[in-house]
Amino acid sequence: MDVLEQVKETIERYDLVIPGELLILGVSGGPDSLCMLHVFRRLAPDYDLRLHVGHLDHGIRGQEAEEDAAFVQRLCQEWGVPCTVQREDVPALAQERGIALEEAARQARYRFLGELARSLGARAVAVAHNADDQVETVLMHFLRGAGLAGLRGMSPVAWMDELRVGEEQPRLGRIRLLRPLLEVPREAIEAYCREQGLEPRFDRSNLDTTYFRNRLRHELIPYLESYNPNIREVVRRMAQVLAGDYELLRQLLAETWPQVVRREDEEAIVFDLEALRALPVGLQRSVLREAVHRLRFSLRNINWVHIEDALQVLRKGKVGSQATLPQGLMLTLGYREAVLASEGYQPPLGDERPRIQEPLPLEVPGETILPGGAWLVVTQILEREALCKGWEQNTDPYRAYLDADRVGRELYLRPRTEGDWFVPLGLERRKKLSDFMINAKIPRQERSQVPLLLSDGKIAWVVGWRVDARYAVSPGTKRVLVVQFKRKEGKR
C-alpha cells in the first residue's frame, strides 16, 4: 500500500483538513504517530498546513517514557516542527477516579491535546489510530456488549467535545479530531517507516497482555484469523456499514427528541409518557441512552441491563414506578410524564401552572398577584343575569363561578394541609383531598402546591380541578363571584 496516497485519499474523502489551518499532531514516538508526522510534513505544502506536535508522558514507564519524550523533542527540532511536551501522573488519575489505567491514559491524552489546541487557537487535532486499531476497538466494544455506537468503531473525523474525559473536565470545544491513518493497516505503517529510514520508539507495554487491548491484538485476533484469514477486513467493513446505520438512527433521534421531551435542563429531562411509549423499541432505547448521556456527560459506557430495566418500567410500570440508571439517575413514572433525574429530585417551582406555598388573602373584588409574579387572580361580583351566554360550559380550568352570598368576601388561598376535605361538585359527598388528588391524577410533586380557595376555613375550590358543591352556583343564586387566574403579560 502507498501510505502517502492512502492518507491523501482519506483527507479528500472526508474533508479532514482546511487549507491554511494549524494542525496539532499527537505524537508518542511509536511507528504509527511517527509515520503520521512524516506524512504530514510531506503533505503540509499541498494543503498549506502549519504543524505543531503534542507529546504526553503518562508517568507509567519511568525512564523509557522520558527517553520517548526526548526522542520526540529532538526529532521535531531536526524537522523544524514546534513541539509541546507535558507529563501527567496517569496511575494517580486512575486511582483517584476508580477507572482502568487504559481509560485514564485515554482521558489524559485527549484532554492534553484538546487543551493544547485551544491554547494555540487550533481547530483540529490528528491522532494516529490505524486500521488494525479499528478492528481491536470494534471487537473490544463487541465483547463488552456495545450497541451501534460502539460497534461502528472510530470515525475518520469527529468532535473533541463529544469525548468523555472526566467528570470535572470542561468540554473541549468544537475542535475536530482527525484520524488520517484509520484506513492504513499497521503492517503498511511499519513498512513505510522502514522505507523512509524512520526509527520509531518501542513501547514494551504493548506486549503486556494484562491490558485488554493487547490480549485482543496478540491472542484473540490471531485466533479468529484461523477461522477467517480476512477477519480484519470483515470487521472493518461491518464497522463502516454500522456507522451508516448509526447516523441514520441519530437523525431519527434528533427529529424525535422534541416530540417526546417536554422539559429539559441540567438536572432533569421530562418526557411525554404517552409519546415515549408510542415509539418503536429501538428508538426508545436511543432516547433513554441520549437522555442519560445528556445528564451524565462524562459517562462513557451505559450498561445494557440498565436500559432494558428502564424499558420494562416504561412499558409496564404504574404511577410511581422507578428504574435505576447509572450514576444515581432514576426514571420515575408519573400520570402523563416520565422524569429522568437524580434520586430525590424535586422539580423547581415553575409558572406553567399557578402554585401557592403560603396563605395569601384575595382582594374581592379586585386583583391579587401570586408570589413569583407570573400569575394574577382577578375577582368580580356579577348579577347572575349579567353572566356571559354559555358560562355553564366553562372550559377554563382556572376560572370558577361561585355563589357570592355563600362564599363571602373573606377569601384566601393556601396549599393543602393534613386532613383537608371538601365536597366535589358532582359527587355531593365529602371526600378527602388527598384521595381526590390521586383519583384526579395530579402529579405527586405538584399536590402540595395546588392553590386552594378557602371561605371561612372551608375549601370552596381546588384551583384548576373542582369547585366545592356547597359554594357552586345553584338555581337560587342571585349574585355570582367570578374568580379567574391569569398569566401576567410577558410571563408566558
Side-chain angles (χ1 to χ4, degrees):
M1 172 182 287
D2 187 327
V3 173
L4 185 70
E5 289 303 315
Q6 179 60 62
V7 171
K8 286 181 65 175
E9 182 181 330
T10 301
I11 289 174
E12 298 295 334
R13 183 188 304 169
Y14 298 103
D15 294 323
L16 291 196
V17 300
I18 299 172
E21 73 176 336
L22 172 63
L23 180 61
I24 306 299
L25 302 175
V27 177
S28 68
D32 301 338
S33 62
L34 191 57
C35 170
M36 179 179 70
L37 174 57
H38 191 272
V39 166
F40 268 109
R41 281 187 69 238
R42 296 172 65 185
L43 293 179
D46 296 344
Y47 296 98
D48 190 25
L49 296 176
R50 292 171 292 131
L51 307 178
H52 190 109
V53 165
H55 174 89
L56 182 67
D57 177 352
H58 296 82
I60 298 175
R61 296 166 43 243
Q63 182 65 31
E64 287 188 4
E66 293 177 10
E67 292 172 359
D68 288 349
F71 168 80
V72 172
Q73 283 183 305
R74 184 171 61 253
L75 187 66
C76 287
Q77 187 174 12
E78 292 175 2
W79 288 357
V81 179
C83 178
T84 298
V85 173
Q86 184 171 304
R87 188 181 187 278
E88 177 93 32
D89 189 347
V90 168
L93 182 68
Q95 185 174 9
E96 175 188 334
R97 296 182 179 171
I99 57 179
L101 193 64
E102 291 171 284
E103 174 60 17
R106 185 197 75 90
Q107 292 184 8
R109 189 162 55 249
Y110 281 132
R111 189 170 61 248
F112 160 66
L113 292 172
E115 290 175 347
L116 177 61
R118 190 166 56 241
S119 69
L120 296 176
R123 307 309 301 167
V125 168
V127 291
H129 292 125
N130 62 49
D132 291 272
D133 291 326
Q134 178 79 305
V135 173
E136 294 160 10
T137 297
V138 172
L139 289 176
M140 185 165 55
H141 288 160
F142 172 76
L143 292 174
R144 287 174 173 169
L148 283 181
L151 296 180
R152 69 190 170 117
M154 298 176 285
S155 302
V157 58
W159 294 101
M160 295 203 75
D161 66 345
E162 295 176 358
L163 300 173
R164 305 177 194 284
V165 293
E167 188 72 36
E168 83 292 343
Q169 190 63 32
R171 300 189 183 190
L172 296 174
R174 298 307 277 178
I175 298 172
R176 303 191 323 282
L177 179 65
L178 314 179
R179 297 184 176 100
L181 299 183
L182 197 58
E183 297 180 359
V184 181
R186 184 175 295 119
E187 184 179 16
I189 289 172
E190 292 172 350
Y192 180 90
C193 290
R194 290 192 299 270
E195 292 165 4
Q196 299 297 325
L198 305 177
E199 298 180 359
R201 297 286 297 174
F202 177 69
D203 185 349
R204 296 179 186 276
S205 66
N206 288 333
L207 300 177
D208 186 352
T209 54
T210 60
Y211 294 120
F212 188 35
R213 182 179 287 272
N214 287 347
R215 287 188 64 198
L216 291 175
R217 180 180 302 173
H218 299 298
E219 297 177 3
L220 179 60
I221 293 176
Y223 181 70
L224 292 176
E225 285 178 321
S226 69
Y227 284 85
N228 184 348
N230 297 319
I231 188 64
R232 296 171 194 262
E233 182 60 27
V234 168
V235 172
R236 288 198 294 265
R237 285 202 305 264
M238 180 193 75
Q240 288 180 342
V241 171
L242 294 183
D245 293 345
Y246 178 77
E247 288 305 312
L248 183 61
L249 184 58
R250 292 295 297 179
Q251 291 177 16
L252 185 57
L253 174 63
E255 296 170 3
T256 302
W257 186 261
Q259 299 173 15
V260 298
V261 174
R262 289 185 172 181
R263 298 186 300 280
E264 176 182 0
D265 57 35
E266 293 182 354
E267 295 185 8
I269 295 175
V270 180
F271 298 104
D272 181 308
L273 185 55
E274 182 179 359
L276 186 55
R277 280 175 166 166
L279 296 179
V281 64
L283 201 47
Q284 288 176 344
R285 287 193 184 100
S286 294
V287 166
L288 290 174
R289 284 182 175 276
E290 176 69 12
V292 172
H293 277 313
R294 290 192 181 202
L295 295 177
R296 296 293 185 267
F297 181 77
S298 67
L299 183 64
R300 201 172 168 211
N301 297 311
I302 302 174
N303 195 296
W304 181 86
V305 173
H306 282 140
I307 297 297
E308 292 309 301
D309 287 348
L311 284 178
Q312 288 301 314
V313 168
L314 180 64
R315 293 173 192 153
K316 302 179 181 179
K318 299 180 179 179
V319 173
S321 296
Q322 293 183 314
T324 301
L325 286 154
Q327 292 190 2
L329 289 176
M330 192 77 70
L331 181 71
T332 304
L333 301 192
Y335 289 105
R336 300 179 182 88
E337 297 178 334
V339 179
L340 181 67
S342 298
E343 187 174 4
Y345 167 79
Q346 290 296 325
L349 187 65
D351 64 2
E352 67 276 6
R353 296 186 181 93
R355 302 173 189 266
I356 197 78
Q357 292 181 303
E358 299 289 341
L360 178 68
L362 292 185
E363 291 288 333
V364 182
E367 297 181 352
T368 307
I369 299 175
L370 264 59
W375 287 83
L376 179 72
V377 185
V378 179
T379 61
Q380 55 181 327
I381 298 175
L382 301 174
E383 295 296 324
R384 181 166 181 162
E385 293 76 14
L387 293 176
C388 60
K389 185 178 181 181
W391 67 269
E392 300 95 333
Q393 284 76 46
N394 175 33
T395 58
D396 184 349
Y398 297 120
R399 181 192 297 125
Y401 297 91
L402 305 171
D403 188 309
D405 295 314
R406 290 184 185 179
V407 78
R409 297 193 181 192
E410 300 296 321
L411 303 178
Y412 66 97
L413 300 172
R414 70 160 171 82
R416 71 173 183 171
T417 60
E418 185 68 30
D420 275 340
W421 61 272
F422 77 125
V423 182
L425 182 63
L427 190 61
E428 313 304 336
R429 59 183 175 84
R430 62 184 286 172
K431 189 176 184 68
K432 291 173 62 175
L433 180 61
S434 58
D435 291 343
F436 171 82
M437 286 184 164
I438 291 172
N439 292 339
K441 298 185 176 180
I442 299 175
R444 181 195 302 268
Q445 66 270 21
E446 295 183 13
R447 295 171 195 168
S448 63
Q449 300 171 21
V450 172
L452 306 175
L453 177 66
L454 276 86
S455 168
D456 194 25
K458 300 181 179 66
I459 296 175
W461 179 29
V462 179
V463 176
W465 298 92
R466 194 76 65 87
V467 166
D468 187 296
R470 295 168 295 175
Y471 302 100
V473 175
S474 66
T477 297
K478 296 181 179 179
R479 297 187 312 146
V480 177
L481 173 67
V482 182
V483 185
Q484 184 165 13
F485 284 69
K486 296 182 177 180
R487 282 184 183 272
K488 292 189 68 179
E489 290 296 325
K491 292 292 184 177
R492 290 190 176 276

